[in-house]
């Protein structure tokens, strides 16, 4: 009799990991980005049963993966394995909100968002709508 192993990440863990990864993508995690992550976890229904203490663990996991040579590929592999397709656009929307939260997008963040679009197979038209919504929410 074989025992099925539990998934290493919950769908909510994957969403948090995506947000942290966007924040860390430019090697400068800003306070506004951390506030955006915390706010999303506190307010969105998808996180209703999420243990907020896991944010720190997921943040460390992402940062550890970013230090490895193939860490980004490993991160996206974990996300593809554990994030249901119905939450792919949610993940992209959260990533855009974090990236836009400081009022500016640098080249590294834009490239990382493009990578997320590719890895999660986000339709370009849907991505444009999500990006426009994030811009509108974070205009200063």
């Amino acid at each position: 009799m074989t025992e099925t192993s539990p998934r290493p990440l919950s769908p909510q863990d994957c969403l948090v990991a995506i947000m942290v990864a966007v924040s860390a993508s430019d090697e400068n995690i800003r306070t506004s980005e951390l506030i955006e992550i915390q706010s999303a976890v506190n307010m969105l229904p998808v996180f209703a049963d999420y243990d907020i203490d896991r944010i720190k663990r997921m943040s460390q996991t992402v940062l550890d993966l970013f230090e490895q040579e193939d860490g980004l590929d490993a991160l996206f592999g974990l996300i593809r394995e554990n994030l249901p397709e119905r939450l792919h656009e949610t993940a992209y929307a959260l990533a855009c909100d974090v990236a836009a939260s400081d009022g500016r997008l640098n080249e590294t963040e834009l490239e990382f968002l493009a990578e997320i679009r590719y890895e999660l197979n986000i339709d370009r038209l849907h991505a444009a709508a999500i990006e426009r919504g994030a811009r509108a929410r974070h205009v200063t």
Side-chain angles (χ1 to χ4, degrees):
M1 182 172 177
T2 60
E3 193 177 304
T4 60
S5 62
R7 289 184 169 194
L9 301 179
S10 71
Q12 292 82 3
D13 287 336
C14 293
L15 295 174
V16 169
I18 287 275
M19 290 188 287
V20 170
V22 168
S23 179
S25 66
D26 63 356
E27 298 179 358
N28 186 7
I29 300 174
R30 293 175 181 81
T31 301
S32 60
E33 294 167 336
L34 296 174
I35 291 169
E36 183 70 30
I37 294 167
Q38 186 77 34
S39 179
V41 172
N42 285 333
M43 295 184 355
L44 295 178
V46 73
F47 293 107
D49 297 327
Y50 189 66
D51 178 5
I52 201 158
D53 293 333
R54 290 188 56 82
I55 293 174
K56 184 175 181 179
R57 186 176 324 156
M58 291 313 307
S59 297
Q60 192 58 55
T61 298
V62 169
L63 296 175
D64 289 347
L65 285 171
F66 275 14
E67 290 179 5
Q68 297 176 15
E69 186 174 330
D70 293 327
L72 187 57
D73 291 335
L75 175 65
F76 281 123
L78 285 170
I79 289 168
R80 278 192 308 272
E81 288 175 23
N82 298 290
L83 184 67
E85 188 174 338
R86 67 181 174 79
L87 293 177
H88 285 192
E89 287 181 351
T90 302
Y92 189 64
L94 291 170
C96 288
D97 280 343
V98 170
S101 67
D102 63 359
R104 60 186 177 277
L105 291 170
N106 63 41
E107 190 63 33
T108 307
E109 288 172 320
L110 291 170
E111 289 172 6
F112 194 76
L113 289 173
E115 185 72 18
I116 293 170
R117 279 194 311 269
Y118 173 78
E119 292 291 338
L120 297 182
N121 197 28
I122 304 293
D123 177 85
R124 188 63 196 122
L125 187 57
H126 295 177
I130 291 167
E131 292 160 6
R132 183 63 192 113
R135 243 187 333 268
R137 279 188 298 281
H138 296 282
V139 71
T140 55

